[in-house]
Amino acid sequence: MNTRSQRIIFAALPLALTLLMMMQSCVTRTESDLYTITMRDTTVEELVRNQPGDRDNGIIYPSPRTVEISRTTVQYDSLVERYYPDFIRLGLFESAGLIGTGAGDNGIGSGLFGVYGFFDKDFAQNFTASDAQNRDDFFAGGLYRFGIMESRLRWFRDAANWTIGTSLYEVFLPEASDRRSLGSVLPIYVRKRYFLREDIPYVAFTPTVGIGIWPSHYVNMGASLDVGSIGGLNMRAYAGLAVGLNASYSPFISEDINGEKTAESVTFPYLGIGISVLDFLNRVPELSTEWKDHEHSSWDIGLLQVGLLIGGGETSVFQSSSADSDESVAISGVLLRLCNASVALPWLDHKLYAGTSLFNVIALGKTEGGVSILPIRVGLFQTVLQDELSVEPFVEWNYFPSSIMHIGGRLNLFITDWLNFSLLTGFVSGSTAADSEFASFIINNIGNPTDFSGAYFGLGFGFSDRIFFPEELRYNR
């Protein structure tokens, strides 16, 4: 990337991934009950000892029957632990395309949801009006949050749905000017949710007040209309006002032509449309529901899927651009999906699903591949071996910035909640790009824009990728 705004966004994402994985053990509340179990047993034994020979069992003669009673007591302690969620909201990434924060050549061109502009060569560039005349500036600004967490706030005699929260990093980019950007590490937010729908997917109106601490100092007041969370996916409409200051020591402030740094005050209203991924919301009653009893709506929710592909490409992605095409390389391509969700649909016994990923890379070879944002995927989950093996045929349309049709199948082996193994096969056909340039750190490793098609086989691995089975979905309970 060649702009500071892009570096800020992409540098924060792996940091959020790392820290959220470290926080996983901190978002569960454990309650335990210690029981003393007492087992009492009484044994009654009757014995008849007949004396040999004749006898007269008269009144005085002793009876040969005896009764022996023995009692035993065993005591031991038993510890029962129950696990509950200890957060209202926990999310990985949230972004929004903002409307009305900049105009013309000053907008960053964030695109819908704030992510479709990432691979525009003009993203966050500051141009003259003549240079930017073909630029899409409807979504002039962008809002990006990484590592979001909210906990219950017991204000006003424990009034419902108040939360206090933060994020690892938050940045507002109202226009292509670092001086007018506002960002903070661990900003503090207070939110109140008014639920318009209390069944999954939830719909809530959420007024918000937040304070940014460093490197910018600001107040963000606004509200959002939230729809989610289902499969960790959420959509939001935003309205708000941000008022702040970048002090002279802020990294957003660069030296002027005189070598001096001067503070910049920033004020801008905004409207926006956004999305968040791996972002989970609990209502207050769900904090008293054990993890094992929580409802699930998706067949697969995951952080990262990686596939190593055989076939299709003329030159392997692992070869240098000058490598001899006759050089033998077993693995020619890669398949990567970041932040996946496969939401069950109410057809075919809920085995049909619709899914997407925040980011996709499909490469059959060095010059046969592309990248996409929020592709549309439709498939079917079928259990082969209960709790272990499932098959997943799918069709995926990658429409931006590359245009790729992907038909494939996966045989998934569930290993743990955080690791899966897959056998892959499929066919892809499309174009790397029509007329745009990609971010250099990706396109230099995929190749030049070109049309391509081909079949592949491969091995896949899912990291922090949770596959569910029929009895775990809420529709089957």
Side-chain angles (χ1 to χ4, degrees):
M1 293 295 182
N2 55 5
T3 69
R4 180 180 300 180
S5 301
Q6 289 167 309
R7 290 195 298 270
I8 289 173
I9 293 171
F10 283 101
L13 187 56
L15 175 63
L17 293 176
T18 303
L19 293 182
L20 277 183
M21 292 179 69
M22 296 172 61
M23 291 168 55
Q24 286 175 355
S25 60
C26 303
V27 298
T28 296
R29 182 181 82 256
T30 302
E31 295 186 3
S32 58
D33 292 319
L34 181 62
Y35 296 91
T36 298
I37 298 177
T38 302
M39 299 179 62
R40 292 187 175 92
D41 184 44
T42 300
T43 302
V44 179
E45 185 178 14
E46 295 185 1
L47 301 175
V48 177
R49 296 183 177 88
N50 293 322
Q51 298 295 328
D54 297 333
R55 61 187 182 278
D56 182 7
N57 292 331
I59 298 175
I60 300 176
Y61 196 89
S63 172
R65 183 183 300 275
T66 60
V67 178
E68 295 182 1
I69 300 175
S70 60
R71 295 181 175 89
T72 59
T73 300
V74 177
Q75 285 187 328
Y76 62 92
D77 293 334
S78 175
L79 180 64
V80 177
E81 292 185 332
R82 299 182 303 278
Y83 303 98
Y84 301 87
D86 198 26
F87 62 89
I88 293 293
R89 181 186 175 195
L90 184 68
L92 173 65
F93 176 71
E94 176 184 355
S95 66
L98 302 183
I99 305 169
T101 60
D105 57 319
N106 289 326
I108 69 170
S110 61
L112 182 64
F113 303 135
V115 293
Y116 282 91
F118 279 176
F119 297 106
D120 186 337
K121 59 183 173 56
D122 295 336
F123 179 80
Q125 297 281 1
N126 196 356
F127 296 104
T128 63
S130 60
D131 293 331
Q133 59 183 347
N134 295 322
R135 188 183 196 172
D136 181 8
D137 60 357
F138 181 77
F139 292 99
L143 163 63
Y144 304 95
R145 294 189 177 111
F146 306 87
I148 308 126
M149 185 171 183
E150 296 179 34
S151 298
R152 189 177 180 185
L153 182 61
R154 297 176 177 272
W155 278 5
F156 309 116
R157 295 188 176 182
D158 211 13
N161 302 320
W162 283 92
T163 69
I164 184 169
T166 186
S167 54
L168 299 177
Y169 186 68
E170 171 187 81
V171 61
F172 289 86
L173 304 176
E175 57 187 60
S177 170
D178 290 333
R179 296 179 61 86
R180 294 187 57 77
S181 299
L182 295 175
S184 177
V185 176
L186 300 177
I188 300 173
Y189 275 87
V190 173
R191 294 180 172 92
K192 165 69 173 177
R193 287 183 174 84
Y194 296 92
F195 282 93
L196 308 179
R197 173 185 167 89
E198 296 189 351
D199 295 324
I200 300 173
Y202 305 128
V203 179
F205 174 71
T206 310
T208 301
V209 176
I211 300 174
I213 303 170
W214 184 88
S216 302
H217 316 300
Y218 60 90
V219 175
N220 175 33
M221 299 171 290
S224 63
L225 180 64
D226 312 334
V227 180
S229 162
I230 182 165
L233 297 175
N234 300 262
M235 294 185 64
R236 295 181 175 85
Y238 302 81
L241 174 68
V243 179
L245 172 72
N246 282 318
S248 58
Y249 53 78
S250 171
F252 290 111
I253 300 297
S254 302
E255 294 182 354
D256 58 21
I257 58 176
N258 298 320
E260 298 179 352
K261 292 186 175 183
T262 57
E264 179 85 12
S265 61
V266 182
T267 300
F268 58 89
Y270 61 86
L271 299 172
I273 300 175
I275 192 171
S276 61
V277 294
L278 291 185
D279 186 2
F280 305 97
L281 177 69
N282 289 315
R283 294 175 53 245
V284 172
E286 292 175 314
L287 301 184
S288 300
T289 302
E290 291 187 64
W291 274 123
K292 64 182 180 66
D293 296 323
H294 268 245
E295 296 183 333
H296 303 288
S297 305
S298 299
W299 288 101
D300 183 18
I301 302 174
L303 175 62
L304 180 65
Q305 293 179 359
V306 178
L308 302 177
L309 309 182
I310 301 173
E314 295 181 2
T315 305
S316 172
V317 294
F318 300 104
Q319 291 175 300
S320 64
S321 58
S322 60
D324 186 346
S325 59
D326 294 332
E327 183 179 345
S328 176
V329 178
I331 299 174
S332 61
V334 294
L335 173 65
L336 184 147
R337 293 174 178 169
L338 178 65
C339 300
N340 314 290
S342 299
V343 180
L345 298 177
W347 297 292
L348 300 179
D349 198 21
H350 293 94
K351 294 177 181 179
L352 189 69
Y353 75 82
T356 189
S357 307
L358 177 62
F359 180 71
N360 262 19
V361 173
I362 303 174
L364 298 181
K366 188 71 177 180
T367 59
E368 300 92 1
V371 296
S372 68
I373 296 172
L374 299 175
I376 298 174
R377 185 166 56 249
V378 177
L380 184 74
F381 258 91
Q382 176 64 53
T383 301
V384 179
L385 291 178
Q386 191 62 37
D387 301 329
E388 294 178 359
L389 203 61
S390 62
V391 65
E392 175 194 354
F394 64 87
V395 176
E396 181 180 75
W397 179 33
N398 300 267
Y399 53 89
F400 180 83
S402 298
S403 177
I404 303 172
M405 183 59 69
H406 182 189
I407 302 174
R410 304 168 64 94
L411 181 64
N412 303 309
L413 175 62
F414 176 88
I415 299 177
T416 70
D417 287 349
W418 308 106
L419 179 65
N420 300 300
F421 173 77
S422 302
L423 296 178
L424 313 175
T425 186
F427 179 85
V428 295
S429 178
S431 174
T432 301
D435 56 5
S436 64
E437 296 181 12
F438 294 113
S440 59
F441 78 98
I442 291 180
I443 190 59
N444 288 341
N445 291 288
I446 291 181
N448 298 318
T450 182
D451 295 332
F452 65 93
S453 63
Y456 68 83
F457 297 92
L459 302 178
F461 303 89
F463 302 99
S464 292
D465 189 50
R466 178 70 161 89
I467 293 178
F468 295 89
F469 288 87
E471 69 279 2
E472 298 176 289
L473 297 189
R474 62 189 177 97
Y475 312 104
N476 300 320
R477 291 190 171 185

